[in-house]
Amino acid sequence: MRLGGLPHPKNNKYLLWWPSEKARQGWLNKLSADDREITETHSDNAKRTKHFNDYLNSQEMRIVFFHYKDILGLTSYRFKGVYAYDNLKSNPATGTVWKRISNTLNIGLNDD
């Protein structure tokens, strides 16, 4: 099984997430044209509803590297930003919606 994300090693409020718009094991992620939202859904109603309930009022933030294939078929990941759970748009029918809260990320590197 391919993992879709991992907890940040130093800050558990973040998940490192690499979603794809290609369906994987029933999961489907849709990135809006302006990159401001990602809708995470599942083809199985029960799994989609459970996932929605698991994240209801979530405080988790996701650092997103979206999966792409170029014209040669090579895989790449592009940083899209930091996303938070959208309590207003998420619902059991649509799925879990993540809204971008930042398009930058300070990774804490210094010049030493």
Side-chain angles (χ1 to χ4, degrees):
M1 180 169 87
R2 180 189 180 279
L3 291 175
L6 289 171
H8 188 284
K10 294 187 178 183
N11 189 333
N12 64 2
K13 74 178 181 178
Y14 291 103
L15 180 81
L16 302 169
W17 189 33
W18 47 91
S20 172
E21 286 190 337
K22 179 181 176 190
R24 293 184 177 148
Q25 299 175 338
W27 291 104
L28 182 63
N29 304 291
K30 179 68 178 154
L31 180 65
S32 65
D34 61 6
D35 295 347
R36 291 184 180 187
E37 290 182 350
I38 301 170
T39 302
E40 183 181 22
T41 191
H42 198 282
S43 58
D44 179 277
N45 290 339
K47 285 185 180 182
R48 182 177 56 247
T49 300
K50 181 183 179 325
H51 189 71
F52 164 78
N53 288 331
D54 288 347
Y55 279 94
L56 194 59
N57 299 313
S58 174
Q59 299 301 309
E60 178 181 276
M61 290 181 280
R62 293 184 172 194
I63 301 168
V64 175
F65 298 88
F66 217 86
H67 173 269
Y68 291 92
K69 287 218 182 240
D70 65 19
I71 59 171
L72 299 175
L74 300 173
T75 298
S76 66
Y77 295 87
R78 292 186 193 148
F79 175 71
K80 291 297 180 177
V82 179
Y83 291 74
Y85 176 77
D86 189 330
N87 201 29
L88 297 176
K89 291 190 176 179
S90 297
N91 63 65
T94 301
T96 307
V97 178
W98 300 90
K99 65 182 173 183
R100 187 171 63 193
I101 58 171
S102 177
N103 59 3
T104 63
L105 178 67
N106 180 353
I107 59 173
L109 296 178
N110 55 32
D111 294 331
D112 294 336

